Amino acid sequence: MKNNLPFYVLLVILVVVDAWLLAHPNFIGRLGILFFKYDMIRTFPKALATVALTTAVCVGVTLFVKRLAKQTALLVMGLLTLVAVGVLVNTILKFSSGSYAMTGAGFKTGAILMPIILVLVFANGFYEASKMRKPDQTV
């Protein structure tokens, strides 16, 4: 973790930006948040807590998986990266059409930024797992 400090600084910046974008939709987006009861992103502090907690859990999973054998860590991190890419594609498709397309450019960007953060976390974990020397050695 000490060797990768710029990555974690970038992650913190992306989390704050994502929370701000999610907490500031346009009028239609606000109606959608009220109608679908998305209380976890209604205000900036709640959105920040939601995005930060989700990111922290993913970072924790990555740190745990890196302690496994190299082949297992690569397999798990590769699968998690693929799942995150799938969620990203699904989010892009969902927010490109229908009522989600009218929620405002900032809100759509914030919604798409969350899976991008997850892809970055898991892809970084995959990269760090690939640098491991021995099957049970952590980087």
Side-chain angles (χ1 to χ4, degrees), residues 1-13:
M1 186 166 163
K2 292 179 185 177
N3 298 338
N4 213 356
L5 188 61
F7 173 74
Y8 290 106
V9 170
L10 174 67
L11 212 56
V12 169
I13 292 169

Side-chain angles (χ1 to χ4, degrees), residues 20-109:
W20 189 86
L21 290 170
L22 286 173
H24 294 88
N26 65 7
F27 181 70
I28 294 173
R30 288 193 189 279
L31 290 177
I33 288 173
L34 290 173
F35 181 74
F36 292 110
K37 297 182 176 147
Y38 291 145
D39 292 332
M40 74 288 286
I41 59 171
R42 187 171 293 180
T43 63
F44 175 72
K46 287 182 179 183
L48 183 61
T50 301
V51 175
L53 183 64
T54 304
T55 305
V57 167
C58 292
V59 168
V61 167
T62 301
L63 292 174
F64 173 75
V65 168
K66 285 191 321 187
R67 293 182 180 267
L68 302 174
K70 181 176 181 176
Q71 291 80 14
T72 306
L74 285 172
L75 178 66
V76 172
M77 294 312 302
L79 288 174
L80 288 173
T81 303
L82 287 176
V83 168
V85 168
V87 170
L88 174 61
V89 169
N90 185 30
T91 305
I92 290 171
L93 293 175
K94 185 181 283 188
F95 278 86
S96 297
S97 62
S99 61
Y100 287 113
M102 297 183 285
T103 57
F107 185 77
K108 288 190 301 187
T109 304

Side-chain angles (χ1 to χ4, degrees), residues 106-118:
F107 185 77
K108 288 190 301 187
T109 304
I112 293 170
L113 186 57
M114 187 65 224
I116 290 173
I117 292 170
L118 300 183

